[in-house]
Amino acid sequence: MTARRLVVEADGGSRGNPGVAGYGALVRDADTRAVLAERAAPLGKASNNVAEYSGLIAGLEAAARIDPAADVEVRMDSNLVVEQMAGRWKIKHEDMRRLALAARELCSARSAAGGSVTFTWIPRADNKAADALSNDGMDGRTIDRSYAAPDAAPGAAPDAATPATSATTTVAEAPVEPRQSEPDLTPPTRVLLVRHGVTDHTLRAQLDGRGGGDPGLNTQGREQASDVARAVRALVGRDVRVVTSGLYRARQTGAVLGERLGVTPTADDRFDEQGFGDWDGKSMGQISARWPDELVRLRTDQTYARPGGESHEQLRERVLAGWHDLVAAGGTTVLVGHRKPFLVILTDLLGIAPEGFWRLALAPGSLTGVEVWRDGNAVVSFVNRTDHLGD
């Protein structure tokens, strides 16, 4: 007998991150698309990630009440939750670990009953129903609705559902903080991302990650650093700090910037380039000829690392830890670093899935502008600006 198939759509949100939070989830019949259950509830003050995990748990619990042995596909627009539940990304925060464990226990119970759970990332535009329910939760409403599935007859409306005679429908108001409807008008944290100037390794397309040869700027790279310094001076005031990665080429570029701006740069090795292990110093031509499958895997498998190197997951964890500290400091910062760490920051801010990681261009000596507000909103003002080079 073919197992029943269900779809869980889940979401969560926080107005302030952390702030007024709530979650929403619904369960559909995978074949008819009929909505079988809806859930929403407020969480008080919590982060986006906690709210998203809470929505996931509510959706899995609702699916368990419908059919504990069905095959379930979970669809969420949170790449973080999907990747962590798939085991490809580590879970750093204790509150998220606790919620992830509860979700995994629900998945294990389903597996023991003969069913399965898979996770799929979807764009935010495709998760509107769960998003609407999560907003109900943030507005202080608790929703627990169950429906009887309509017959999957030809021509039946795919989203139609009939209230079950034995089902309960609860919509309760809960005390909640006033909704933050006004935008955060306080000054944002401004960060100017500056990729270092070129080295001989750059021109030869050789990998030069942390733990490698740590090359310095060549003549062209030093000229690019001077060009960058002039451009940055025109974009920022004197109340600015300069932070560089711990690698020599970034520190050299940062030193030129610091001199131009009248500040002393500080180095933070959390923004170092990815460690490529035994591939450091080798050209992309050599790598693609000798290790073509491994090269594809490094680009697509978040957990894959070369011997002595780092996986993308490890890179992401350390870079975002540094980024969160930098943003929390406020003010204006010029961050001098490398392509992959900057791609980690930008894809996290923009919600870009891992497969879209390489679609952003960041040339040596380029400038990228970012603004982040205390309520978690962010704007990428410009990317890969290079018009100042060679002036």
Side-chain angles (χ1 to χ4, degrees):
M1 182 176 177
T2 303
R4 186 177 188 180
R5 298 188 306 124
L6 301 174
V7 173
V8 169
E9 298 171 12
D11 199 7
S14 171
R15 295 168 182 152
N17 197 27
V20 176
Y23 67 78
L26 62 143
V27 183
R28 296 184 189 272
D29 183 286
D31 297 316
T32 67
R33 300 293 298 160
V35 175
L36 305 179
E38 293 177 308
R39 302 286 186 270
L43 292 170
K45 186 175 182 179
S47 69
N48 276 328
N49 295 146
V50 166
E52 288 164 344
Y53 265 108
S54 299
L56 167 62
I57 291 169
L60 290 172
E61 289 175 340
R65 286 168 58 179
I66 295 168
D67 187 340
D71 291 332
V72 172
E73 180 189 9
V74 175
R75 299 177 181 175
M76 300 182 69
D77 60 51
S78 171
N79 191 52
L80 176 74
V81 173
V82 169
E83 292 297 316
Q84 287 179 342
M85 289 303 299
R88 292 187 287 268
W89 289 359
K90 292 180 181 178
I91 304 174
K92 182 178 179 181
H93 300 289
E94 185 58 38
D95 51 358
M96 289 166 61
R97 285 198 190 104
R98 173 178 52 82
L99 292 168
L101 179 60
R104 284 172 178 156
E105 287 176 348
L106 288 166
C107 295
S108 296
R110 182 166 296 278
S111 179
S116 65
V117 182
T118 58
F119 291 86
T120 301
W121 177 86
I122 58 174
R124 186 178 300 275
D126 294 342
N127 204 30
K128 290 181 179 179
D131 176 70
L133 286 165
S134 73
N135 275 284
D136 285 331
M138 284 184 274
D139 288 338
R141 288 189 284 275
T142 298
I143 296 174
D144 184 349
R145 299 190 185 112
S146 297
Y147 304 92
D151 295 333
D159 289 315
T162 304
T165 55
S166 59
T168 60
T169 300
T170 305
V171 181
E173 297 291 337
V176 68
E177 300 174 43
R179 177 171 178 170
Q180 182 180 323
S181 58
E182 294 298 322
D184 180 3
L185 299 179
T186 59
T189 297
R190 293 184 171 90
V191 184
L192 194 60
L193 305 177
V194 178
R195 188 178 172 192
H196 63 80
V198 299
T199 70
D200 288 340
H201 277 56
T202 311
L203 298 180
R204 292 194 290 260
Q206 290 174 286
L207 296 183
D208 48 357
R210 67 178 346 195
D214 199 13
L217 302 176
N218 60 16
T219 301
Q220 181 184 354
R222 291 190 290 272
E223 292 173 352
Q224 288 177 332
S226 296
D227 293 340
V228 167
R230 286 194 296 271
V232 170
R233 182 66 188 87
L235 290 171
V236 301
R238 291 198 173 275
D239 188 12
V240 63
R241 61 179 181 147
V242 176
V243 177
T244 76
S245 88
L247 298 181
Y248 187 38
R249 57 195 181 275
R251 289 187 286 111
Q252 280 184 294
T253 305
V256 178
L257 281 162
E259 183 177 2
R260 186 83 177 192
L261 297 172
V263 299
T264 301
T266 59
D268 187 336
D269 61 9
R270 290 178 295 181
F271 296 110
D272 287 359
E273 180 60 280
Q274 183 176 11
F276 297 109
D278 62 346
W279 281 358
D280 257 312
K282 292 181 172 59
S283 71
M284 292 303 296
Q286 291 172 316
I287 294 169
S288 60
R290 183 171 176 183
W291 297 282
D293 294 338
E294 291 86 346
L295 181 58
V296 171
R297 188 176 177 191
L298 185 70
R299 285 176 170 265
T300 58
D301 185 343
Q302 304 295 301
T303 63
Y304 178 70
R306 293 299 301 170
E310 291 179 295
S311 67
H312 179 82
E313 179 183 279
Q314 292 169 321
L315 171 71
R316 185 179 187 279
E317 184 174 353
R318 68 168 166 85
V319 168
L320 291 184
W323 174 253
H324 293 151
D325 288 346
L326 187 149
V327 169
T332 301
T333 300
V334 178
L335 177 59
V336 186
H338 313 268
R339 185 186 181 209
K340 283 202 72 175
F342 286 173
L343 290 178
V344 166
I345 292 168
L346 292 173
T347 54
D348 182 73
L349 288 175
L350 297 171
I352 297 174
E355 56 266 25
F357 185 85
W358 300 100
R359 294 173 186 165
L360 293 172
L362 291 172
S366 65
L367 305 178
T368 297
V370 175
E371 295 181 330
V372 183
W373 280 262
R374 289 184 302 181
D375 61 4
N377 286 317
V379 170
V380 179
S381 306
F382 54 88
V383 177
N384 196 37
R385 177 174 165 181
T386 59
D387 56 341
H388 54 278
L389 297 178
D391 291 347

